[in-house]
Amino acid sequence: MTAGRPAIPSELRRRVLIEAGHRCAIPTCRATPVEIAHIIPWSKVKKHEFKNLIALCPTCHARYDDPHNPLDRKAVRQYKVNLNPLLSSTFGAAADCISLIAAYQGFRTAFGAWVRGELEYAAAKARVRSIAADPTAQGKPDGGPFADALCALLDFQSAWGRDAEVSEVAGAILMHVAEWSDEVRGAPCPVPEALACRDITEELAEVSSRLHLLVCEEAGILASEESPVQNFAW
């Protein structure tokens, strides 16, 4: 243990171990015994939080700490997300959170549809020299997928409370895509390749995983060994 760093509280340690079934969280490993690792290093966060802790065997823990190993933070964050499927057998024990989870799933669905549409629009606009040359690249009305995504965000924030961290993160995700979308729609034809080829879903990967884990944690949902693994994706 790093000098001056407090021990992980026993109850928090227990939650992390139960989440992973007392095995390494990496599905192709699943070895025992395990250690509790910080996804974002302790040296940066200076605190122990469930959403930032994961169970890893000593070998995988050492691989993760090695900056030259492909087991990077994004990968470990995804392994953490995979341990927290929202459609889990523990859902029944969280019946009072159904409306919160429904709002989250509604936001994910509407936001995903909007993002996919914006990516298709950017790709089409990158192929033509004028909007009129390709009907699929024509500007879209202010309503439609964006309006659906915005309404879903407002419903999500209303359900969770506008001051909640989950609401702030969801709003930041939508604004990130909206700013990129405005750049694409305001750019001449063809859209500059660097702008059209930006991988928005990749840019959102870590913050989206963070939102997913926050929802699971604040709703009191933990995965069980019987729960199906559900990868997070828009």
Side-chain angles (χ1 to χ4, degrees), residues 223-234:
S224 70
E225 291 186 356
E226 293 77 24
S227 301
V229 171
Q230 174 182 316
N231 288 323
F232 183 91
W234 290 113

Side-chain angles (χ1 to χ4, degrees), residues 15 19 39-40 49-54 73-86 101 104 108 156 160 165-166 169 173 205-223 230 232 234:
R15 286 184 65 195
E19 173 190 53
I39 299 173
I40 300 176
E49 292 183 295
F50 176 73
K51 62 178 177 284
N52 192 47
L53 298 174
I54 189 169
R73 185 180 304 171
K74 180 182 175 183
V76 173
R77 178 74 74 184
Q78 183 63 59
Y79 290 134
K80 173 77 171 179
V81 169
N82 290 351
L83 295 170
N84 287 273
L86 290 178
I101 302 304
Y104 172 58
R108 279 185 59 178
F156 175 80
W160 286 85
E165 186 178 2
V166 287
V169 173
I173 288 173
E206 185 158 342
V207 69
S208 298
S209 296
R210 178 184 168 204
L211 175 64
H212 189 76
L213 293 171
L214 280 170
V215 169
C216 289
E217 182 181 15
E218 296 198 21
I221 298 173
L222 287 175
Q230 174 182 316
F232 183 91
W234 290 113

